[in-house]
Amino acid sequence: MTEEPQRPEPPLTGDERTQLNGFLDFLRATVVWKCSGLTDEQARRPLVPSELTTVAGLLGHLTLVEQYWFNVVLNGQEDVWKETLEADPDAEFRVAMQTPIEQLIAAYEAECERSRKIVAGMGLDDKVPFRGDREVNVRFVVAHMVEETGRHAGHLDLLREMIDGLTGE
């Protein structure tokens, strides 16, 4: 992890879309920063009672939620993880534990880029079918991903400090 992260600062002014996307991109870059520079062993090291709550596991999970909320829910694509997760609700964590950290980071960054492109073509008020007879709008998905990414960025911050002592917002 470099001492000076390369993260886009969220805008202090702007419309709702600009600020939501700005905070999400800041958090995404924080995730990449917290995961960078680790060995595979460090990224897989269990440091809390939940053995799957590792840097690698969290990165695998965040990649999955990006893919699910943006590509499956908003973009209407097939959920390629559905059957796997029905068999093992923690499958994305387990798969990540077997994947090199650099590959996990690249997959996460690629998924985030795909998510950006999907949202760019939609309005925040656009609605899509969701889990049967319900609907969800783009605003909910982006706000949810700010929450989800922020929560796990905090976990990554603590894990990173426990691994090598490096800290930073």
Side-chain angles (χ1 to χ4, degrees):
M1 180 164 79
T2 62
E3 293 297 324
E4 294 297 323
Q6 301 300 309
R7 299 178 293 177
E9 287 294 325
L12 296 175
T13 62
D15 63 15
E16 182 180 16
R17 174 186 286 275
T18 300
Q19 292 191 314
L20 282 171
N21 288 335
F23 272 99
L24 185 52
D25 280 339
F26 176 81
L27 290 167
R28 287 167 169 159
T30 300
V31 166
V32 171
W33 177 46
K34 295 295 176 174
C35 296
S36 295
L38 295 174
T39 66
D40 291 334
E41 183 277 324
Q42 288 172 317
R44 296 174 185 150
R45 187 181 301 161
L47 298 166
V48 296
S50 170
E51 65 184 26
L52 297 176
T53 304
T54 63
V55 170
L58 289 170
L59 192 53
H61 173 70
L62 284 168
T63 303
L64 171 76
V65 295
E66 284 278 343
Q67 186 268 337
Y68 174 76
W69 283 102
F70 292 102
N71 199 44
V72 174
V73 173
L74 293 183
N75 203 30
Q77 298 300 305
E78 179 184 354
D79 185 354
V80 297
W81 279 89
K82 185 177 181 181
E83 289 180 19
T84 303
L85 291 171
E86 285 172 355
D88 177 4
D90 295 321
E92 78 275 23
F93 289 89
R94 293 184 208 291
V95 169
M97 295 294 282
Q98 305 303 316
T99 307
I101 187 64
E102 291 304 321
Q103 187 177 334
L104 290 170
I105 292 169
Y108 178 68
E109 290 180 314
E111 201 61 54
C112 291
E113 183 57 32
R114 179 168 34 177
S115 298
R116 282 184 203 95
K117 289 177 181 175
I118 292 167
V119 168
M122 303 179 84
L124 291 177
D125 291 322
D126 289 356
K127 295 177 185 173
V128 297
F130 184 64
R131 296 182 181 166
D133 62 349
R134 301 179 348 181
E135 290 182 319
V136 65
N137 67 18
V138 174
R139 178 181 290 102
F140 174 89
V141 171
V142 175
H144 171 67
M145 287 304 297
V146 168
E147 177 275 328
E148 180 89 10
T149 308
R151 183 163 39 96
H152 293 311
H155 296 141
L156 289 166
D157 191 37
L158 291 171
L159 292 173
R160 185 61 191 249
E161 184 174 355
M162 293 169 74
I163 290 169
D164 62 11
L166 290 176
T167 60
E169 74 170 68

